[in-house]
Amino acid sequence: QVQLRESGGDLVHAGGSLTLSCTFAGVPGVIAWFRQAPGKEREGVSCITKSDGDTSDYLDSVKGRFTISKERLRNLVYLQMNSLKPEDTAVYYCAATRKSYCSGLSSEYDFWGQGTQVTVSS
């Protein structure tokens, strides 16, 4: 089993920044961030491998603004979010799989956090 918990969501103005945190217990191979806006499908944002720290990004709309990272000696993964836009408003989830490769597909992930709300006002 892998257990995850997100934190850091907040209400911010457009152009602001937030850093989301995901703490986890267990031995995942990959940690990924997803988001889901009301009435829309869940979409992959980015992922990072536990062992090597290799990253992949999946949304053109956030490239250059969002960065995934992890702490080497602690079970923590971050999503740094800069230059936030109203369209970034969503519930953000971290997810894990014991597989060793990154994927932007939610079906590849077996373990999920509860989500944290990010709201960006215009």
Side-chain angles (χ1 to χ4, degrees):
Q1 290 290 321
V2 179
Q3 295 178 310
L4 309 102
R5 185 175 182 180
E6 309 93 338
S7 63
D10 206 350
L11 171 65
V12 299
H13 288 292
S17 298
L18 284 173
T19 299
L20 306 182
S21 299
C22 175
T23 183
F24 59 91
V27 286
V30 169
I31 300 289
W33 286 99
F34 288 78
R35 70 182 186 183
Q36 188 167 18
K40 297 198 173 185
E41 298 295 321
R42 188 169 298 184
E43 55 187 1
V45 178
S46 60
C47 69
I48 188 166
T49 64
K50 182 67 165 58
S51 58
D52 297 328
D54 296 328
T55 62
S56 296
D57 301 313
Y58 299 104
L59 296 180
D60 289 340
S61 61
V62 306
K63 288 180 179 178
R65 299 191 295 118
F66 291 8
T67 303
I68 190 170
S69 63
K70 68 179 180 70
E71 293 192 9
R72 182 176 180 271
L73 301 179
R74 294 184 178 182
N75 292 343
L76 286 170
V77 172
Y78 303 102
L79 184 66
Q80 182 183 338
M81 309 165 68
N82 299 323
S83 302
L84 284 162
K85 303 176 180 180
E87 52 262 43
D88 296 320
T89 295
V91 177
Y92 284 72
Y93 300 88
C94 60
T97 176
R98 290 196 174 100
K99 299 172 182 176
S100 60
Y101 54 88
C102 275
S103 174
L105 299 176
S106 61
S107 60
E108 293 289 331
Y109 295 86
D110 304 304
F111 310 102
W112 294 82
Q114 82 289 346
T116 186
Q117 177 71 50
V118 173
T119 302
V120 185
S121 62
S122 59

